[in-house]
Amino acid sequence: MKLLLVYPPLTRALPSILPGEVEAGRGCFPPLGILYLAAAVKGLPGIELSAIDAPTQELTAEQIADRVLRERIDVVGITILSFHLLDAIELAQKIKQKSPQTLIVAGGPHPHIYPVETLGLGMFDFAALGEGEEIFPAFLSGLARGEQEPVVPGIISRSKRADADLTFSNLPDLDRLPFPERTLLPVEKYFSVLSPLRPSTTAISSRGCPYRCIFCDRPHLGKKFRARSASNVVAEMEACAALGIREIIFYDDNFTTSRERALEIAELILERRLKVAWDIRARVGDLKPLDYHLLRRAGLQRIHFGVESGDPELLESLQKKITIAQAREAFQAANKAGIETLAYFMLGLPGENLDTLNRTLALGRELKPDYIHFSLLMLFPATPVYALALEKGIVQRDLWREFAKNPQPDFQPPIWEEKLGREELVSALHRAYREFYLRPGYIFSRLARTRSWAGFKTQTRMGWSMLGLKK
């Protein structure tokens, strides 16, 4: 059986919450989802496995469909985010036009939230819920036995979507999973715009987040925190280094949910004398000031902190359970340890006005992060804040479900428009980037800290991107 796993082209993606200049300069990262699936099915007897990262490999839907026909691919798995649904549909349609007998399985966050609607579109044969590392191999094994529609909990067929069981379960022991099959894709092409070290890759050391932030949009991973052991994480880092990868960007919701595990990872890196840079997303308040020095000695280059707002009341309304005082302490401690920092802030929160916006921008400058990432609060499907927007009439209809049923290219993802309208918020977003990145003091400090020609080029690219922002 020939299996092709695909991250689709991104030529028809929905409008981003970020300014185009910022979106275009983020870097290029491997699609871990299909690489985890690839590793899970690799050992199945009779499977011929291949993978495509269409944006990175610059492949069109037409080219991929031609390959499916030419190589007589039996099953295609497509990972789908709601923002990329139109591209996934176009790819599936072209595959069905050229190779009608090929089965197409939709996976990822969008079909997890909207499985019935996804299958109702007509071009996908099956939809997978939750995490696929166990259910997808079971599904393929059923096909290999000659079953037309294998009965596997968590995988739904188009013909039985009306009365399908939509329950799913998450994997309890992540250490049992093989590492992502990175060699299926061009390792050398992946990089982060924040780092001069290339190539880079991404990794996930835990799944699920125990916190209840109202804007969180990863429902397929659940809310139970499941962590890989420190030894398992460091073993994957060693495997990445053996491939020539120079920096690993951890995409956990929060790498420091377990402070003890984070410190154990750092100690193991030092014990094994592993020379690879790494980058994490963390929650302010999780670490103690001295912890940052240990992490830095172990090669940690950068921490991304979600601060979200400079207004205490708005921050509390997000149910993030952090304080501005904790943010100040975390950034100060990281800076003292020599770790670069990136601050995430969101504009357009429930209750946002011009005064709260200005407090957020002021805190962004006060914290002195090396980088800052502003975005508008996007009302993602299946999040508490989207449900609240529907309840309060901020959003009049269930726009995301309507889009899932009948995707249109002019769909505009909803934001929280109450005291400030979309035009005002977009203008504030552009102003926030300009006011932070175009300060003379910031520009000179960044160039002074640049230690290499590659780093200088990175900073220059980012600078030109900021200059392109509209007033």
Side-chain angles (χ1 to χ4, degrees), residues 194 196 302 339-341 368-371 436-437 439-451 455-456 458-460 462:
L194 300 183
R302 196 172 302 104
I339 299 172
E340 286 191 340
T341 54
K368 298 180 180 178
D370 293 280
Y371 307 99
F436 182 83
Y437 282 106
R439 293 171 295 149
Y442 174 81
I443 295 170
F444 289 132
S445 69
R446 291 306 307 165
L447 292 177
R449 292 178 63 180
T450 300
R451 300 181 180 90
F456 177 80
T458 295
Q459 299 298 328
T460 302
M462 292 184 66

Side-chain angles (χ1 to χ4, degrees), residues 9 33 77 82 143 153 156 193 276 300 319 329 331 345 380 384 386 394 422 426 455 461 466:
S82 294
L143 290 178
I156 303 165
V193 72
V276 64
L300 182 64
Q319 300 180 24
E329 181 182 85
F331 278 85
F345 285 97
F380 287 109
Y386 182 54
I394 302 298
R422 183 179 291 266
V426 170
R461 274 198 307 273
M466 294 306 114

Side-chain angles (χ1 to χ4, degrees), residues 204-245:
I204 296 180
S205 78
S206 65
R207 298 183 187 180
C209 178
Y211 301 104
R212 294 292 185 270
C213 305
I214 64 173
F215 55 85
C216 182
D217 66 327
R218 299 175 87 175
H220 59 300
L221 298 181
K223 298 305 292 183
K224 182 179 179 181
F225 178 67
R226 295 162 291 137
R228 295 165 54 195
S229 65
S231 59
N232 184 261
V233 173
V234 176
E236 182 179 355
M237 296 176 74
E238 290 176 317
C240 289
L243 293 175
I245 291 168

Side-chain angles (χ1 to χ4, degrees), residues 40 132 197 213 237 252 282 324 370 412 448 471:
L197 300 177
C213 305
M237 296 176 74
D252 303 43
I324 290 173
D370 293 280
Q412 192 170 56
K471 295 185 178 180

Side-chain angles (χ1 to χ4, degrees), residues 4-8 33-34 37 75-82 84-85 88 92 104-115 118-119 124-133 135-136 139 154-156 220:
L4 175 64
L5 301 174
V6 183
Y7 190 79
I34 64 173
L37 280 186
V75 180
V76 174
I78 303 177
T79 188
I80 309 175
L81 282 67
S82 294
H84 307 156
L85 178 59
I104 302 179
V105 183
H110 183 84
H112 172 86
I113 299 170
Y114 299 116
T118 301
L119 292 171
F124 302 105
D125 300 294
F126 298 90
L129 306 179
E131 298 164 328
E133 288 92 345
I135 62 174
F136 194 54
F139 169 77
I155 293 187
I156 303 165
H220 59 300

Side-chain angles (χ1 to χ4, degrees), residues 80-263:
I80 309 175
L81 282 67
S82 294
F83 270 65
H84 307 156
L85 178 59
L86 294 170
D87 285 298
I89 289 171
E90 180 183 15
L91 174 59
Q93 286 174 331
K94 288 187 179 298
I95 290 172
K96 285 296 187 182
Q97 289 167 5
K98 294 176 183 287
S99 182
Q101 74 281 2
T102 297
L103 297 178
I104 302 179
V105 183
H110 183 84
H112 172 86
I113 299 170
Y114 299 116
V116 175
E117 291 82 359
T118 301
L119 292 171
L121 296 173
M123 67 290 299
F124 302 105
D125 300 294
F126 298 90
L129 306 179
E131 298 164 328
E133 288 92 345
E134 288 188 352
I135 62 174
F136 194 54
F139 169 77
L140 294 176
S141 296
L143 290 178
R145 291 192 297 268
E147 299 172 20
Q148 295 297 310
E149 295 186 355
V151 178
V152 177
I155 293 187
I156 303 165
S157 69
R158 185 169 70 241
S159 65
K160 298 177 182 176
R161 67 185 185 277
D163 54 356
D165 179 4
L166 301 183
T167 59
F168 71 99
S169 58
N170 290 125
L171 305 173
D173 183 6
L174 300 183
D175 277 7
R176 291 173 49 197
L177 297 178
F179 302 149
E181 192 64 31
R182 291 182 172 86
T183 55
L184 282 179
L185 295 175
V187 172
E188 70 283 356
K189 289 193 175 184
Y190 297 108
F191 69 95
S192 167
V193 72
L194 300 183
S195 174
L197 300 177
R198 301 189 182 190
S200 63
T201 192
T202 50
I204 296 180
S205 78
S206 65
R207 298 183 187 180
C209 178
Y211 301 104
R212 294 292 185 270
C213 305
I214 64 173
F215 55 85
C216 182
D217 66 327
R218 299 175 87 175
H220 59 300
L221 298 181
K223 298 305 292 183
K224 182 179 179 181
F225 178 67
R226 295 162 291 137
R228 295 165 54 195
S229 65
S231 59
N232 184 261
V233 173
V234 176
E236 182 179 355
M237 296 176 74
E238 290 176 317
C240 289
L243 293 175
I245 291 168
R246 300 182 64 198
E247 183 160 357
I248 301 167
I249 301 159
F250 284 96
Y251 260 30
D252 303 43
D253 287 323
N254 179 19
F255 189 87
T256 57
T257 296
S258 167
R259 169 178 172 262
E260 292 74 17
R261 188 190 70 121
L263 300 183

